[in-house]
Amino acid sequence: MRVRRAIDGDLQALIDLETRSFATDRISPRQWRWHLESDSARVLVALHERRLVGACVMFFRKGSDLARLYSMAVAAELRGQRVGEQLLEAAEAAAQRSGCRRLRLEVRDGNAAAQRLYERNGYQRIARLPAYYADGEDGWRYEKTLSRAGAG
């Protein structure tokens, strides 16, 4: 498994993964193009045997120490095999390299597997988000304070 920054050539695989992973609240092809080219967004992809099997999108705001993990998707056949964990570790490292000390994200109330992943990796629930998603499902906001470079 390898995680790297996404490139333009990943666009169709990103769209395909998004379509297979989410029934609603999908990132559109136009948004993917924008995220790939934006200075305020970072798209990371996980590759297994040269096949894109996971992706995450992060947002940064100039002058802020807070990064946002906007979306993460893992191919169904590889869930439970640390793909999400590796993407999360890479996202945290990218946030730190960008000068961020905190990483925040939202997760669906019904996505217990993702909640366990985040909690296992030190994220704390900080807010309940009633009817947060387009289909009306509630969400949870999580945040983690990232360790400083060279710290434990």
Side-chain angles (χ1 to χ4, degrees):
M1 186 73 54
R2 184 170 81 97
V3 177
R4 64 160 168 78
R5 191 165 182 175
I7 58 173
D8 289 340
D10 295 324
L11 180 60
Q12 189 57 55
L14 287 165
I15 293 166
D16 293 345
L17 177 65
E18 185 82 2
T19 301
R20 289 190 314 272
S21 299
F22 303 112
T24 63
D25 294 305
R26 290 184 184 143
I27 298 172
S28 71
R30 183 177 180 185
Q31 289 169 314
W32 276 118
R33 281 186 207 94
W34 185 86
H35 296 327
L36 288 170
E37 297 171 4
S38 172
D39 290 334
S40 63
R42 176 97 23 94
V43 180
L44 302 175
V45 294
L47 303 170
H48 177 69
E49 298 176 357
R50 298 190 313 176
R51 187 171 67 93
L52 194 147
V53 296
C56 68
V57 179
M58 303 173 62
F59 295 143
F60 301 94
R61 194 173 348 181
K62 190 173 184 167
S64 175
D65 76 341
L66 175 68
R68 181 173 178 220
L69 181 61
Y70 177 72
S71 180
M72 183 159 48
V74 173
E77 65 275 14
L78 288 174
R79 290 183 188 146
Q81 297 184 34
R82 293 204 70 245
V83 176
E85 196 131 26
Q86 289 179 44
L87 280 167
L88 190 58
E89 289 169 7
E92 290 175 6
Q96 287 178 301
R97 283 192 304 274
S98 294
C100 296
R101 299 191 59 215
R102 298 175 295 144
L103 186 55
R104 186 176 287 173
L105 59 92
E106 295 81 30
V107 64
R108 286 178 170 273
D109 185 54
N111 192 343
Q115 291 172 36
R116 284 191 303 274
L117 168 69
Y118 300 131
E119 290 169 7
R120 192 171 59 241
N121 283 278
Y123 288 78
Q124 302 292 315
R125 277 186 183 180
I126 60 170
R128 182 168 186 83
L129 307 169
Y132 183 73
Y133 292 94
D135 61 3
E137 185 172 357
D138 293 348
W140 289 99
R141 179 164 291 137
Y142 281 81
E143 186 173 296
K144 179 179 180 177
T145 299
L146 304 172
S147 60
R148 296 177 194 230

